[in-house]
Amino acid sequence: MGSIVSKRKGGRDYFYWVRSARVEGKPRIVEQVYLGTADALRQARERQEPARTRRRAAGPLVLWRQAERLGLRELIDAQVATGGLAHSVGTYLQLIACNRAHAPCAKLRLREWYEKTALQSALAIRAGDLDHRRVWDAMDQVPEAALEEIEQQLCRRLAEAGELSEEELLVFDPTNLYTFIASDNGRNEIARRGHNKQRRHDLRQVGLALLTTRRFQLPLLHHTYAGDRPDAPTTRELAGRLRRRFEAVLERSSRVTLVYDRGSHSDELLSLFEPGEFHFVCGLQANRYRSRLELPERELGELPELSGYKSKRSEVTIAGRRYTLLCVRSESFAARQARGFRQTLAKAERQLEEIVRVLDGGRGRRTKRQLEQIVADILKPRHLRRVLAAKVAGSEERPTLTRELDQAALAHLEERVFGRSLLLTDRSDWSDAEIVCAYHALNRNERAIRRAKDPDYLAARPIYHWTDHKIRVHLFCCVLSLLLTHTIWKRAAEAGIDASPERLLEALAELDQIELIYPAAGGGRGRPRVRRHLGEPSQLQLDLLAALDLDPGQVGTTPANT
């Protein structure tokens, strides 16, 4: 049997494989093979071909460590007691949030996703603990009231960490998400049919309202509500929760300004807050102050800071309080509206022309009442009745139709209506350009909402859960995932990385960890040796890890004790 021995020569150790035997009754080395120095032996071991390799997704590990920095798991566990589960409720919900940002899937397939990620080797969570029934149990253990308190504490933590600006502008906007809940499912209360923004009017939907920061759209509040509930009453119901968020933000910021759309506005909402409790910029319905909207072009002044914009400032009194009212005209918006309206007008004229042609040919079998309904449907699009007059006459059995286009009314629309909007604010200290820019923050919030609906990442909809409670917890996890995404985006932007949140999530999705599995040392039956490294990361991926203060060794390379 052979053995390895060392010989010291010139102050260095050299290793040999030797085989001994008895020669004339005495032990002698009968065979010797030089192996090299200690460094040479180590290098030879590293060059050994692995028995097999395995590729795992490393992006979820980055997301998990970012969630740990934010303290998501800790905050959830502080508000939710865990019972009968292998791990805490916060652990389960944080895993769901990481999954939504990486490769969203049904809770039924969460275990399968976990087994393909680097989380399995980094966390002390057995794959069997992620059975979908255990995940559902964890979701069921979250009280609805705890969701609000978790978000409130999370908002405070973001403020303390300096994630909010000195004078924070918050954007509030509601949307809706369609579901596949059966129409006859009576165990669900919040999924109802209503006007769906994705045009899925045939499906039951759930409302989701988001309050986000201006620059990086960090979600500070979310509210899940019935799908047929109008926006304005919903916003009024949230007055108490909005006040709590403002208080948390004001602990670090000097002032808070809320921006919301005209659909969420009501005079009653303003009366729910004391003057100066918060500032606001909102849109108003065009018919609220039509005379101040349809001003002659000469009364509008140019905005040097915003090319293509004009405005006219005035004051209004609502519920005994004075506010600034701004009429704004955008040349590009006016051109888009005019182009779209002319297409709608041309379509209506073609439809009316076809009806007249059929009636003149004596082939129409519609009654006068039926024809009136058809014409009413044709003229239903906004502004059509102002420029296109259609009159149904004749008898009930043989109706006639005449139509006339009012060119003067069309010119009035293009000159004094299209491209204009009314903005209401209490920020009288702001310039017209500052008010307009603040209101445009709604566009960024809408992009965040579209990001939450992205089927490749976050995937808040379609919703497959069918109980109210699981829908609320599901959307809560989606909002946490949106927060993870946008805090990563913020860190990347601060490090000089010019990339969208979608591109950053794509980079994380493509980040792989390679596992090299070697036989046990000495060729025995012990535990196989495993070495891990990143699989040829791109420069963007390396820059992103640096921006998040993550050493690639923490994500891919095997720790020293393996």
Side-chain angles (χ1 to χ4, degrees), residues 101-102 451 454 456-457 485-486 488-489 492 497-511 536-544:
H102 177 252
R451 197 166 292 130
D454 191 326
D456 296 323
Y457 303 107
T485 301
H486 284 197
I488 290 174
W489 176 33
I497 300 176
D498 184 15
S500 67
E502 290 83 1
R503 181 67 190 94
L504 296 176
L505 287 180
E506 182 181 348
L508 288 179
E510 295 171 350
L511 188 66
E536 298 182 359
S538 66
Q539 189 58 51
L540 174 60
Q541 291 169 334
L542 292 174
D543 291 343
L544 180 57

Side-chain angles (χ1 to χ4, degrees), residues 265-442:
H265 176 75
S266 65
D267 293 349
E268 184 181 348
L269 175 65
L270 300 181
S271 65
L272 296 177
F273 295 90
E274 295 297 327
E277 191 171 357
F278 77 101
H279 300 284
F280 73 93
V281 177
C282 72
L284 288 181
Q285 298 288 349
N287 57 4
R288 180 69 183 271
Y289 298 100
R290 187 172 295 278
S291 61
R292 303 199 193 191
L293 176 74
E294 300 180 9
L295 294 169
E297 185 80 12
R298 63 180 179 275
E299 295 189 22
L300 301 178
E302 299 281 350
L303 293 180
E305 304 92 337
L306 298 174
S307 177
Y309 281 85
K310 297 180 179 180
S311 67
K312 168 76 174 188
R313 180 186 287 236
S314 60
E315 289 189 346
V316 295
T317 301
I318 300 176
R321 301 176 186 175
R322 298 289 289 176
Y323 298 107
T324 297
L325 182 68
L326 196 66
C327 173
V328 183
R329 174 181 167 84
S330 166
E331 294 295 340
S332 60
F333 184 35
R336 291 196 304 271
Q337 276 194 307
R339 185 166 56 250
F341 181 74
R342 285 191 173 275
Q343 292 174 351
T344 301
L345 177 61
K347 178 181 177 181
E349 288 184 308
R350 288 195 303 270
Q351 291 174 322
L352 294 176
E353 179 67 28
E354 177 63 19
I355 292 175
V356 171
R357 187 184 66 80
V358 172
L359 291 176
D360 291 345
R363 294 181 285 110
R365 296 186 179 182
R366 300 184 181 94
T367 65
K368 184 177 181 180
R369 183 170 299 179
Q370 289 174 333
L371 187 58
E372 288 174 343
Q373 183 59 50
I374 293 172
V375 171
D377 291 340
I378 292 175
L379 299 181
K380 194 173 182 179
R382 190 181 180 191
H383 299 312
L384 268 184
R385 290 185 179 275
R386 296 183 64 174
V387 301
L388 186 59
K391 183 178 180 181
V392 179
S395 63
E396 182 69 22
E397 292 76 19
R398 296 187 61 83
T400 60
L401 175 64
T402 58
R403 75 276 186 209
E404 182 181 0
L405 178 63
D406 189 339
Q407 293 290 348
L410 179 60
H412 179 86
L413 280 178
E414 294 181 344
E415 293 174 7
R416 299 197 182 188
V417 176
F418 291 158
R420 299 194 183 193
S421 54
L422 289 175
L423 304 183
L424 184 72
T425 181
D426 66 340
R427 295 301 302 258
S428 57
D429 56 319
W430 277 2
S431 67
D432 292 0
E434 287 176 317
I435 295 172
V436 173
C437 289
Y439 188 70
H440 284 176
L442 278 169

Side-chain angles (χ1 to χ4, degrees), residues 524-538:
R525 301 176 64 180
R527 178 179 297 180
R529 294 178 292 115
V530 180
R531 298 192 64 82
R532 301 179 179 91
H533 65 84
L534 290 180
E536 298 182 359
S538 66

Side-chain angles (χ1 to χ4, degrees), residues 144-159:
E144 185 177 342
L147 301 180
E148 162 62 13
E149 191 58 34
I150 293 167
E151 280 192 335
Q152 177 70 8
Q153 296 305 320
L154 186 56
C155 181
R156 292 183 184 278
R157 182 163 293 189
L158 291 173

